[in-house]
Amino acid sequence: MTNSNPLSLDFLISKPEAAAQVLQSLEDQEAAMYLQEVPVRIVAPVLQEMQVWPASRILDQLSLEQNAAIFAQLPYQTVAALLRLQQRERRTELLAVLPAKLARSLSMSLIYQENTVGAWMDMSTPGFFPELTAAECLALLKKSADSFGTSLVIINQSHQVIGMVGLDKLLASPDEKILGQLMDAAQQPLAAEMSIQMAVNLSDWHCYPLLPVRNSSGVYLGTVTRSVLRTALKKAPSADASLGDSLLSHLARAMIVTATGMVQMAPDSHASWLSDTGGSYHDD
């Protein structure tokens, strides 16, 4: 770090929210190069304040060890959200180096029966916090080489779905308008455990071409389109079918065996993970 860099350690410590806004405006590689030199205990609170999508892209640029160390300082729901947005290969590599208990929990959270919405959702679609302005949101979208479709999902700080914003509405809005003022709060997300047969026939498809997907606690998991669900109906087992010998069942068993093996191989410690209370992994 040079003296000319405006992101001093004091600034990161005292104003993590402001620092988060600066970092997410940078190119991913530039932000990552800077954070490589910053202690993890200082980086984690700043990443916690960032929009999830740019934070995940920055983490992709860091070493696996630094990424895992940052995860150890963050609440479980934030870790899960960041992991879902990271590249698939990167996600697999991270699960291998994370603490065994956490890796097992995260691995199991990615598995859904083939005849449910969760098995067909797109986890790479980010959610945005309602405090983000229209101008800031558009700037983030322009940084991405991927398409976000025609609608954006809005989430709160607990990563629960609270609404949606059409891209056309965002483009036509004043720069200073925040997403919370633009969103449609009446839109109900699909439950990840909902059957494909039920989801594909919902009336909500008349409002949006894609819908957000949530878990049983309302936490945002990804999005799904009606066309994907229609395709899934042709491939997935019937609603009353069990996992049986499906590909998903083999995957589930493999991940359970792998995660269990990781626990058995892990050195003894008093490590714990508070997954449902917003806590973070720590060693007593």
Side-chain angles (χ1 to χ4, degrees):
M1 291 178 291
T2 64
N3 293 332
S4 61
N5 197 311
L7 288 173
S8 66
L9 292 183
D10 286 342
F11 181 66
L12 294 175
I13 295 170
S14 61
K15 297 182 178 180
E17 185 175 353
Q21 293 179 352
V22 174
L23 283 171
Q24 67 190 22
S25 70
L26 301 176
E27 292 300 320
D28 303 335
Q29 195 169 20
E30 183 182 2
M33 287 180 62
Y34 169 75
L35 292 180
Q36 286 175 354
E37 305 297 328
V38 179
V40 168
R41 62 180 176 79
I42 297 176
V43 174
V46 176
L47 285 176
Q48 176 69 26
E49 296 293 336
M50 291 181 66
Q51 298 290 319
V52 187
W53 176 75
S56 68
R57 295 285 73 82
I58 291 171
L59 287 172
D60 278 341
Q61 305 291 324
L62 300 178
S63 69
L64 287 172
E65 292 73 21
Q66 188 175 11
N67 194 158
I70 291 171
F71 274 4
Q73 301 290 321
L74 296 174
Y76 178 87
Q77 294 296 1
T78 300
V79 171
L82 289 167
L83 189 69
R84 283 192 294 270
L85 286 174
Q86 288 179 275
Q87 304 297 331
R88 179 177 298 181
E89 183 177 349
R90 174 74 170 196
R91 191 159 58 230
T92 302
E93 293 172 341
L94 271 170
L95 286 171
V97 300
L98 288 173
K101 185 177 180 180
L102 173 59
R104 180 175 59 183
S105 177
L106 290 169
S107 296
M108 295 306 298
S109 73
L110 300 173
I111 299 174
Y112 292 91
Q113 292 192 35
E114 287 177 275
N115 64 326
T116 63
V117 170
W120 299 91
M121 65 184 174
D122 179 1
M123 292 190 298
S124 69
T125 311
F128 295 92
F129 296 137
E131 298 82 10
L132 195 66
T133 67
E136 291 169 337
C137 186
L138 288 172
L140 288 179
L141 295 180
K142 290 177 181 178
K143 285 177 57 181
S144 173
D146 301 321
S147 172
F148 289 97
T150 59
S151 303
L152 304 179
V153 180
I154 311 304
I155 59 175
N156 61 20
Q157 294 293 331
S158 297
H159 298 275
Q160 295 174 320
V161 180
I162 58 174
M164 293 188 70
V165 174
L167 190 56
D168 55 347
K169 188 173 185 178
L170 180 65
L171 290 168
S173 300
D175 289 348
E176 67 277 5
K177 277 281 187 179
I178 62 172
L179 298 186
Q181 296 172 318
L182 300 174
M183 71 180 185
D184 173 10
Q187 181 61 54
Q188 294 299 311
L190 303 178
E193 299 81 7
M194 180 183 291
S195 70
I196 298 169
Q197 290 85 349
M198 180 180 295
V200 77
N201 292 315
L202 292 176
S203 60
D204 290 352
W205 296 111
H206 297 299
C207 301
Y208 294 96
L210 59 79
L211 294 176
V213 181
R214 62 166 178 81
N215 66 11
S216 58
S217 300
V219 171
Y220 174 63
L221 302 176
T223 59
V224 68
T225 66
R226 195 176 194 180
S227 61
V228 165
L229 293 183
R230 284 174 172 164
T231 300
L233 278 175
K234 302 175 183 178
K235 298 181 179 180
S238 60
D240 59 350
S242 63
L243 279 176
D245 291 323
S246 68
L247 175 62
L248 182 61
S249 68
H250 290 298
L251 175 62
R253 285 193 289 267
M255 295 188 79
I256 292 171
V257 170
T258 301
T260 302
M262 291 171 65
V263 173
Q264 294 172 343
M265 294 173 62
D268 293 335
S269 71
H270 299 290
S272 64
W273 188 273
L274 309 178
S275 62
D276 296 322
T277 58
S280 59
Y281 177 85
H282 60 279
D283 289 315
D284 296 328

